Amino acid sequence: MTSRQQFQLKLAPWALLGVAAAWGLAFVVMKDAIERQSVNNFLFTRFSLAVLVMIAIRPQVLRKFNKELLLRAGLAGIFLGFGYIFQTLGLERTGAAITGFITGLYVVVTPLLASVILKERISKFVWFCIFIATIGLALLSVQGFSVGFGEMLVLISAIFFAAHIIALSKWSSGRDAYAM
């Protein structure tokens, strides 16, 4: 094993921790932001800025666009967009911790949805992982049990996020990931 690979192995847990912390903190930041502006304005600003930054970083990506990529990426993007819309509308009506928990259920929903849409069989190991992921997310986030309108909106978002993952798994192979 090269020294670079050893460094990457040592860095990986810290990178995962950083991503998890940033993901969790994002709900707190978003909760504050949507209290100051409408959900639509927040999402429009957030993703318009993201598009501009991505194009500024790699403008040559525009040359990779073609009809097939735009169709598939567009449909996957619709799933992602609805995921964010429902998540943010739900966050507006419930707490950040429960929003994080319910959003994290996309990990559980993805193989279940794939089994229905793609007719993929779920192995015993995947069922075990679904169970462990659900318990882990609940232990990290849930403080009592109530299901309101906000929670239902966030659950719908988790389903859209799962559909986005499934769409990318089927449609992104052989395509430029950055362009997608």
Side-chain angles (χ1 to χ4, degrees):
M1 185 178 300
T2 67
S3 62
R4 181 172 188 236
Q5 289 171 326
Q6 289 175 342
F7 175 73
Q8 288 174 336
L9 281 174
K10 289 179 183 177
L11 183 63
W14 295 105
L16 286 173
L17 180 63
V19 167
W23 186 78
L25 183 60
F27 290 104
V28 176
V29 172
M30 285 181 359
K31 181 78 171 168
D32 184 53
I34 61 176
E35 288 175 358
R36 298 170 193 244
Q37 61 183 322
S38 74
V39 168
N40 291 335
N41 284 343
F42 170 74
L43 290 173
F44 178 81
T45 303
R46 180 181 182 191
F47 289 103
S48 295
L49 182 61
V51 166
L52 293 174
V53 168
M54 288 182 75
I55 291 172
I57 290 171
R58 196 169 150 201
Q60 65 271 26
V61 74
L62 296 173
R63 285 186 249 136
K64 305 245 181 185
F65 289 0
N66 60 44
K67 184 179 177 181
E68 184 182 1
L69 181 129
L70 290 174
L71 179 67
R72 291 175 187 228
L75 187 54
I78 288 170
F79 293 143
L80 183 64
F82 277 125
Y84 277 111
I85 289 167
F86 281 101
Q87 179 190 60
T88 309
L89 288 170
L91 178 61
E92 186 177 46
R93 292 162 175 81
T94 192
I98 196 68
T99 299
F101 165 69
I102 297 171
T103 299
L105 287 176
Y106 78 86
V107 172
V108 173
V109 173
T110 301
L112 298 175
L113 194 59
S115 74
V116 171
I117 294 172
L118 304 175
K119 308 291 187 228
E120 292 180 357
R121 186 178 168 275
I122 300 176
S123 69
K124 289 179 183 178
F125 178 71
V126 171
W127 279 114
F128 175 73
C129 291
I130 289 170
F131 175 76
I132 294 298
T134 304
I135 297 299
L137 285 166
L139 289 173
L140 288 172
S141 308
V142 174
Q143 299 169 345
F145 184 77
S146 67
V147 178
F149 186 63
E151 289 84 358
M152 292 306 298
L153 291 172
V154 179
L155 180 60
I156 292 168
S157 83
I159 294 167
F160 276 113
F161 288 138
H164 175 253
I165 292 167
I166 293 166
L168 288 180
S169 76
K170 289 298 171 190
W171 296 335
S172 64
S173 181
R175 290 176 183 78
D176 184 89
Y178 200 89
M180 288 282 294

